Amino acid sequence: MNSIKSVPARVLSRRAGHSLEAEREQFDKNQAISISKAINTQEAPVKEKHVRRIILGTHHEKGAFTFWSYAIGLPLPSSSILSWKFCHVLHKVLRDGHPNVLQDCQRYRSNIREVGDLWGHLHDRYGQLVSIYTRLLLTKISFHAKHHEFPPGLEVSDEVLEKTAGTDVNNIFQLTVELFDYLDCELKLSESVFRQLNTSMALSQMSAVQCRLAPLIQVIQDCSHLYHYAVKLMFKLHSCLPADTLQGHRDRFHEQFRSLKSFFKKASDMLYFKRLIQIPRLPENPPNFLRASALAEHVKPVVVIPEEAPEDEEPESLIEISTASTTEPQVTSDLFQQTFGPPNGIRDDRDAQIESLKKEVDTLRAEMEKIKLEAQRYITQLKAQVNSLEGEVEEQRKQKQKALVDNEQLRDELEKLQQVKQDSDRSLRLCAEAEKKANATEIRYTKLKEKHSELINTHAELLRKNADTAKQLTVTQQSQEEVARVKEQLEFQVEQVKREAEMKLEDQSVQMEQLRRELDARRDELDQAQSSLSHAKQAGTELSAQLETLQAEKEQLRRSVSEKERELLSTRSLVQEKELQLSQEADKASREICELQGKLLEKSNQEQSLQQKLLDEQFGILQEAVREAEGILRDAVAKLDDPLHVRCTSSPDYLLSRAEAALESTDALESGHAQYVASMADAAALVGALSLFAHLTADTIVNGSATSHLAPTDHADRLTETCRDCGQRSLDYLGQLKDKQTLGRAELGDVRQALRGVLGLAQELRPKSLDIKQEELGDMVEKEMASTSAAIEDAVRRIEEMMSRARNESSGIKLEVNERILNSCTDLMKAIRLLVMTSTNLQKEIVESGRGAATTQEFYAKNSRWTEGLISASKAVGWGATQLVESADRVVLHTGKYEELIVCSHEIAASTAQLVAASKVKAEKSSRNLGKLQECSRNVNEMAANVVASTRTGQEQIEEKDTMDFSGMSLIKLKKEEMETQVKVLELEKCLEGERVRLGELRKQHYALAGGYDAAEDGEARPAPAPRRGILKKPALAQKPGHVSGPDREPEQDASLHRAHAVNF
């Protein structure tokens, strides 16, 4: 953890007797091993010995070329822990490595940024930390590359800081902002690490936690220096700029102070940091920058890293074993004394002497504490006096500056008066009087200069006295340190005496004599310390006397300043008299007015030229926009004859929406054109409207071409020609905008007519199902839902009748099977009824949320495809319920098959799924009715599964199974029966294969009929497009081809099965 101050010479020297190549290979090998061991995927902190070898390698080769050559090959994107350890090692190499490491790292800034961006987009705990750490490293590299005076370790003296900041306020301001940004990055990393540790409630002794905490040691080192430099620069800014200007800087510093103090407090409380680093303590409140003397109260925070133990040694035990070893002989001695008593009575005298010595040590310790408290109190008083003296010196400095400013003003006024005297030849008498008064002011100036020199001398004396006071303070502090050192030595020696007295009973007499001699010596030293303390008190009295003399001098200075103020007032009165005399020179002012009028004419000419330049620039911007729009429209017109565009298709509805949007954009284009014609200094509205018009018109042309690929031949040719005409008329309009003469006469009538033509053809190509009357389509939905509910109610009633009839006509197992099947059918009908009711409520919610100001019939007509899907789904549900009841009736009467009931259950489950899919198309994801509908759908599936299970169980109970007893058959007869059974199996398999083929043909015919109805919707003259590979979809099982009641009635379609035409641009 220690920073490397100097590299040993044996590391930098070449080994004798080896060639350069062998040494280089060994060096590369060692560096590769250290890098691989330091940067790995184990969630544990980086070992210091590996990082130390890497840092020594940078000093060996005077750069980080080898480190980066191996670091680039690390798989950083594959592991966030690997990236985190890479950032940690790079931070330490930047801080403690060779100075050329910074230049090498600048070449790989893009690699560091890529790693941070990669892990910033992923939701990984270490990944987020890696993203923040890379931003910190990039900020660190940029700051130190810009300010070479600051090394990456941030250890510079205050003189270097002052030299770097300079005297320019702008440079100081910019450097302060950069330090704040630097400190923000450091604090953000620490806050992110602690936030993750707080959420996981981890202990600092865990290796996973230490892996995150290890880089914060470098962050603590950086933050201590950055905080100190920020305080210094803030005080310097407040001495140059007013306080209101720096309010934002103070707020930002206070926020960083609170974050840094919280960070240091949390780190100090952790056991992991206590053995690795000594964290400084910040003051309770931030520095007061409005008071200049507060800079003396600022103490630079110093981070101390203790000397680390060797890596191979065993860690310290948390339990102190020495206490047990020392207490063991004490226990044995106590047992010996209890058994045999004290040896010859000498033990009691020695114990008494030891007790007396302990009492004397305690009294000396109390006296030392009192002396220490008195010394601290005296030091605080001296500091307060020094601060007051510094404040007075600062006030005198301000008064001196004020006097200098007044002198400069007077000097300027005198120079002006002398110029007036030289220029005015009218009155020699006034010139003579002015010269006399000028001589008088010069005399006063010399007096002021003498006073200023006196102030400087007094200020120098005050500074010398302040230095003497500081020296006396250092002497007092040294004496206090000596007292503390003596106290520590006494405590250590007393403990040593105790330990030796307990361990060696034979040498107590000799040790007691030594203790007495040492105690006498310590008393003498204590007397010396007390005498030095008395000398310090005498020095304090002398300082107080000097303070009184300084106060007297301060009063004299105040009186001299008041006299100077009076002299300044008299000088100002003389200046006012001169101003009255200068009022007679009005003719000079009139000449100046004439000159100003000439300058005003020049300014007006310049403004006219600038206005003309602005008009030319606006016209040039318009021409660039026109050329861009022409390119877009020509590209769209070229798509009409492009053979690669033939495979792109679109729908008439989408073409209709694009044409309407393009037609609406012509209004904005016309208004922007009118604004530009009225004021040619602003072409923003016309340029924006022109860009929108070009894109929408090109979109309309491209979609018109794509729609024509699926339209009948006649409509396709007309649509293509209309789109071509639209593009040509739009290009003609843009051509008029390119000439200033025809710009004002440009009209959009032809363009609008062409767009209306495209709009009309799109209306003709829309499906005929959209022409259904609004009242008829809306009523059809309500009638179908009502008829479905009625069919379900009728099915429930019929099932109840069959239940009562089965109870009367059957008994035993048949009654039990019939009751089970009919109960499951009843539960299924109830679930379907609840699903239909929930679907009706969801449809009402969809209509109410989507229709806006329109009526319900208008909403159904606008969404006709969705409406037809609902009608088809509701019919399928009603038909399935009826079929289920009829199959159940036949099963109960033993005229039907159990398989019919199973197929009807599957069919009705598919029909309800079709209804749910049709209802989900336009429902909101957060809708409560949608959740209820999905729950009802799952309930229907469960009830259908119950019907199938009960049917199969009843079938197994009722069907009689013959017991197979082949014990009485001979071998020949068994062989014959086996062959006959194989023949039956082959016949049944052949029959099964034939039925499967028949089922496939039926489904093909079903799909063909569904496709025919869909083609009939789009028009009789329109040929159905050839099916494309990968686009065919299997229709829903609940779709029935027999629902068409008449030739004029349109077929039902599922809302989720309509064709979707892809539009390719």
Side-chain angles (χ1 to χ4, degrees), residues 729-741:
R729 292 186 181 183
S730 301
L731 291 172
D732 294 341
Y733 173 74
L734 294 177
Q736 292 178 357
L737 294 179
K738 295 172 71 173
D739 191 1
K740 289 185 177 181
Q741 296 179 357

Side-chain angles (χ1 to χ4, degrees), residues 815-861:
L815 178 59
E816 182 183 353
V817 171
N818 292 336
E819 284 183 351
R820 188 185 301 118
I821 293 174
L822 293 176
N823 286 332
S824 61
C825 292
T826 303
D827 294 339
L828 178 59
M829 289 299 108
K830 290 180 180 178
I832 294 172
R833 180 173 58 185
L834 182 60
L835 183 137
V836 172
M837 293 172 61
T838 308
S839 177
T840 305
N841 295 332
L842 180 60
Q843 291 167 21
K844 292 180 180 178
E845 179 184 339
I846 292 170
V847 172
E848 289 299 326
S849 62
R851 66 186 180 89
T855 61
T856 304
Q857 287 77 11
E858 291 176 352
F859 178 80
Y860 281 126

Side-chain angles (χ1 to χ4, degrees), residues 911-1049:
S911 301
T912 54
Q914 180 182 359
L915 181 60
V916 172
S919 301
K920 283 174 62 177
V921 172
K922 289 189 175 294
E924 295 290 339
K925 290 184 179 179
S926 60
S927 174
R928 188 174 299 175
N929 288 325
L930 178 59
K932 292 180 180 179
L933 182 63
Q934 293 173 346
E935 183 67 26
C936 292
S937 176
R938 289 191 289 269
N939 192 17
V940 168
N941 291 332
E942 292 177 1
M943 294 300 106
N946 290 337
V947 172
V948 173
S950 60
T951 303
R952 289 178 177 172
T953 304
Q955 184 179 6
E956 292 175 357
Q957 289 180 355
I958 291 176
E959 289 180 353
E960 296 179 357
K961 295 184 179 179
D962 297 333
T963 58
M964 298 181 183
D965 186 11
F966 305 112
S967 59
M969 293 184 180
S970 64
L971 181 60
I972 301 299
K973 195 171 183 179
L974 282 172
K975 190 67 176 177
K976 182 179 180 181
E977 289 292 333
E978 182 181 352
M979 292 177 64
E980 290 176 355
T981 305
Q982 288 181 357
V983 170
K984 281 185 180 181
V985 168
L986 292 174
E987 290 176 353
L988 291 175
E989 287 179 352
K990 184 177 180 182
C991 183
L992 177 61
E993 187 66 27
E995 291 298 327
R996 283 179 176 170
V997 173
R998 185 170 179 269
L999 178 60
E1001 294 297 328
L1002 288 173
R1003 285 181 176 173
K1004 286 181 181 179
Q1005 187 64 21
H1006 182 192
Y1007 298 156
L1009 289 175
Y1013 291 141
D1014 193 7
E1017 277 188 357
D1018 295 339
E1020 297 177 356
R1022 176 179 173 182
R1028 296 182 183 178
R1029 185 176 301 173
I1031 305 179
L1032 295 178
K1033 294 184 178 179
K1034 181 179 177 181
L1037 292 175
Q1039 197 170 13
K1040 296 299 174 184
H1043 294 318
V1044 182
S1045 58
D1048 298 331
R1049 183 80 173 269

Side-chain angles (χ1 to χ4, degrees), residues 890-905:
R890 288 195 294 271
V891 169
V892 171
L893 295 176
H894 305 290
T895 59
K897 297 180 180 180
Y898 289 97
E899 287 78 6
E900 293 180 3
L901 194 58
I902 293 173
V903 172
C904 288
S905 300

